[in-house]
Amino acid sequence: MPRPRSDEKRIALLEAATRIIATQGLSAPTVGIAKEAGIPNGSLFTYFETKTDLLNQLYLELKGEMAAAALKGLPARAEPRERFFRVWQNWTSWAVTFPEKRQVLAQLSVSGEITAQSRAAGHKMMTDLAELADRSRATGLMRKAPLGFVLALMNSMAEATMDYMAQDAPNAKKHCKEGFDALWRMVE
């Protein structure tokens, strides 16, 4: 009979994986992750069948957390610019507040270990954000460009903004606003 799973242990393993991968990269051994979580190495495989399974679940966990943070407090009846600015503030704030999570999500996003199913599920979590971006560009310069291209440009601008916010914390709000203003000029 398999052991019952504990949500607390699963969460501890995902948090430990984030910390270890942030310092050691995706090749970090599972034994180190289990040790960091305070769980015997064999128990890790009670929660995740393989290391690839752990990485995919961590990817989905971080992607979901980022999406939820970005959409938090989104005003329902506001103009597109105001709605998009709120998403931008939330997204960049999450990334600066949780630099390890941002770093690990970036590594996982380019990893060959992340399955097509996990990528599709991650994209689905971002549907509301993609729809907001699509509506925001409806009459602007980027209206005819493929949405995926526009989203990639937005992501690059967000990454640059997040870097400046993290490197120059006293001026983080200023960098956030300037990054958004540049983004908005691109899409409007």
Side-chain angles (χ1 to χ4, degrees):
M1 173 182 262
R3 287 186 216 162
R5 294 182 184 182
S6 158
D7 283 341
E8 290 174 0
K9 287 183 181 179
R10 181 181 179 282
I11 291 167
L13 285 164
L14 291 171
E15 289 174 349
T18 300
R19 289 188 301 274
I20 295 295
I21 292 169
T23 59
Q24 297 179 24
L26 295 174
S27 62
T30 57
V31 68
I33 294 168
K35 183 178 179 182
E36 176 75 13
I39 295 170
N41 187 42
S43 295
L44 182 142
F45 298 106
T46 300
Y47 297 90
F48 309 100
E49 289 184 28
T50 63
K51 182 176 179 184
T52 297
D53 181 39
L54 167 66
L55 295 177
N56 278 270
Q57 289 191 41
L58 180 59
Y59 169 80
L60 291 172
E61 187 79 20
L62 293 174
K63 194 84 161 176
E65 182 180 323
M66 181 187 70
L71 292 169
K72 186 176 182 181
L74 191 61
R77 298 184 193 260
E79 292 295 317
R81 181 183 171 99
E82 182 183 342
R83 289 173 53 85
F84 207 86
F85 184 55
R86 173 62 68 93
V87 167
W88 180 266
Q89 285 177 308
N90 290 346
W91 180 17
T92 57
S93 177
W94 178 85
V96 171
T97 302
F98 303 106
E100 286 181 335
K101 291 179 179 182
R102 174 185 173 214
Q103 177 187 355
V104 171
L105 182 57
Q107 290 179 53
L108 291 168
S109 294
V110 296
S111 171
E113 295 290 326
I114 304 305
T115 65
Q117 295 86 354
S118 291
R119 289 187 194 285
H123 289 310
K124 189 173 182 177
M125 291 176 194
M126 306 300 285
T127 300
D128 290 342
L129 298 173
E131 288 174 1
L132 178 59
D134 198 29
R135 284 192 306 274
S136 296
R137 73 177 181 127
T139 59
L141 296 172
M142 301 298 286
R143 69 184 171 278
K144 293 183 180 180
L147 179 59
F149 177 63
V150 174
L151 294 173
L153 288 172
M154 289 178 175
N155 188 63
S156 294
M157 293 178 85
E159 289 295 329
T161 301
M162 292 170 201
D163 287 344
Y164 272 82
M165 289 172 69
Q167 294 167 12
D168 185 16
N171 293 304
K173 286 183 180 182
K174 177 182 169 220
H175 296 310
C176 179
K177 176 78 169 77
E178 289 171 343
F180 177 78
D181 289 343
L183 172 78
W184 192 254
R185 283 190 299 275
M186 179 185 79
V187 298
E188 74 171 332

